[in-house]
Amino acid sequence: MVVLEAANICKQYGNKWNKQEVLKGLDLTIEKGEFVSIMGASGSGKTTFLNVLSSIDQVTSGTIIIDGKDITTMKERELAWFRQRHLGFVFQEYHLLETLTVKENILLPLSVMGAGKKEADEAFRSVAAELGIYELKDKYPNELSGGQKQRTSAARAFIHQPSMIFADEPTGALDSKSATDLLNKLTEFNQKYEATILMVTHDAAAASFSRRVVFIKDGQMFTEVMQQDRTREDHYEEIMKTQAILGGIKA
C-alpha cells in the first residue's frame, strides 16, 4: 500500500529576476511500513524536499499525495487538520514546550484531536514505556538530557499513530550512544507497528538503520541504495561508497 507519492516536485525561491531552483522535478514513492532516509551534500535540497513533503513548506509545482489525499491542493485550515491527524514530526532541536511536562508534551497531538483521558493515558503509557521515558513523565524539558528530550519528541510523533513520521536530522544534536539508542527505537517502532518513516540525515551510520537510502544531488535524484539482505554493517559500507561517488571521490 502506497502511503506517500510525490511526482515532479519543483521548488523555487526568489522572483523572475533572481530565481533559485532548489528542487528540479523529484519523484518519490513510499510504501506503508518503509523506513527511508534522504541523503545529500549540504545545499543538495534534501531538507527542502522533506519540508515540502511534510507540508511545512509549499511546492512550486508537482503533487504530493499522502493517504490518498493531495496535500498540495489543500487550503491552510484543511492542511492543518490533516497534519495534526496524519503526520508526526521529529526535529533536531526537539521543539518541546518548556512549560509542559514530558507527559503533557507527548500528549499534545491527542489533546488537539480531542481524545478522551483514558484513551490518552493508555497511549501515553504504551509509547513512553517503549521509549524508556515513562518514569520521566513529570519532569520538564530543562531537567532532561538531549537523548531524553529527543525520545520525548519521538513519543509525541508516534502517539497518535500517524500515517507518516518525518524526521529531520533527529540525531544531529545527540552523542553517539543517545543517537544509537534513538535509532534503535525508531527501528523497533517501524518493525513492530509498521510505522512509515522518512528521515533526512547527513550521517551514513544513521542512514544505515533505514532499509532504503535516497541520494539527492543539486535538487535531483542521484541514486538509491537498498539494504535487501545485507547486514547493517554492509549496508553502511554501501552507503559510504555511494556518498564518496556523490562527492566526486572514486570509491
Side-chain angles (χ1 to χ4, degrees), residues 74 148 172 226-227:
M74 291 181 181
Q148 291 167 339
M226 304 288 292
Q227 182 175 11

Side-chain angles (χ1 to χ4, degrees), residues 15-249:
N15 52 47
K16 62 182 180 181
W17 297 283
N18 184 21
K19 187 184 297 182
Q20 182 186 9
E21 193 175 19
V22 180
L23 303 179
K24 306 169 184 177
L26 290 167
D27 298 326
L28 181 65
T29 299
I30 298 178
E31 301 276 345
K32 179 174 173 57
E34 277 202 277
F35 186 173
V36 181
S37 289
I38 299 176
M39 297 191 75
S42 179
S44 63
K46 61 184 185 295
T47 297
T48 301
F49 194 33
L50 184 81
N51 286 345
V52 297
L53 292 176
S54 63
S55 77
I56 291 174
D57 200 356
Q58 293 182 323
V59 298
T60 302
S61 61
T63 58
I64 300 167
I65 298 172
I66 300 176
D67 264 358
K69 304 288 186 182
D70 186 351
I71 67 171
T72 60
T73 63
M74 291 181 181
K75 302 295 185 186
E76 187 51 45
R77 174 175 266 182
E78 183 184 6
L79 188 58
W81 184 93
F82 183 87
R83 191 184 294 125
Q84 289 165 1
R85 286 156 178 79
H86 293 268
L87 308 182
F89 299 89
V90 185
F91 300 101
Q92 180 176 344
E93 300 300 328
Y94 321 127
H95 291 298
L96 301 176
L97 298 180
E98 296 293 333
T99 57
L100 300 183
T101 64
V102 164
K103 182 176 182 179
E104 290 166 341
N105 266 288
I106 292 171
L107 287 177
L108 276 173
L110 293 184
S111 299
V112 170
M113 293 168 64
K117 186 177 187 305
K118 183 179 179 182
E119 176 190 353
D121 283 345
E122 288 176 355
F124 168 75
R125 181 181 293 275
S126 175
V127 74
E130 289 267 11
L131 285 161
I133 53 174
Y134 181 77
E135 301 304 322
L136 304 175
K137 62 183 184 297
D138 296 322
K139 290 188 177 292
Y140 288 87
N142 64 2
E143 301 176 281
L144 305 178
S145 68
Q148 291 167 339
K149 288 179 182 179
Q150 196 58 295
R151 279 181 279 152
T152 300
S153 176
R156 181 182 58 194
F158 280 101
I159 195 166
H160 58 304
Q161 298 181 358
S163 304
M164 284 288 309
I165 300 285
F166 293 99
D168 185 8
E169 299 280 8
T171 62
L174 303 180
D175 60 66
S176 58
K177 183 183 183 305
S178 296
T180 300
D181 288 345
L182 176 69
L183 290 162
N184 278 323
K185 291 300 181 183
L186 291 181
T187 302
E188 287 176 22
F189 273 88
N190 168 248
Q191 295 173 350
K192 187 173 180 179
Y193 301 108
E194 283 194 292
T196 309
I197 303 170
L198 180 61
M199 175 175 74
V200 159
T201 182
H202 68 278
D203 183 1
S208 70
F209 282 81
S210 60
R211 294 193 61 82
R212 176 159 61 116
V213 184
V214 175
F215 288 87
I216 294 176
K217 182 176 183 179
D218 299 329
Q220 296 178 304
M221 287 294 181
F222 180 72
T223 190
E224 64 179 35
V225 172
M226 304 288 292
Q227 182 175 11
Q228 298 176 325
D229 296 326
R230 297 189 189 100
T231 64
R232 190 166 69 80
E233 289 75 15
D234 288 342
H235 189 36
Y236 168 77
E237 291 298 331
E238 197 64 29
I239 293 166
M240 289 292 289
K241 288 178 185 177
T242 305
Q243 258 192 320
I245 295 168
L246 183 65
I249 301 169

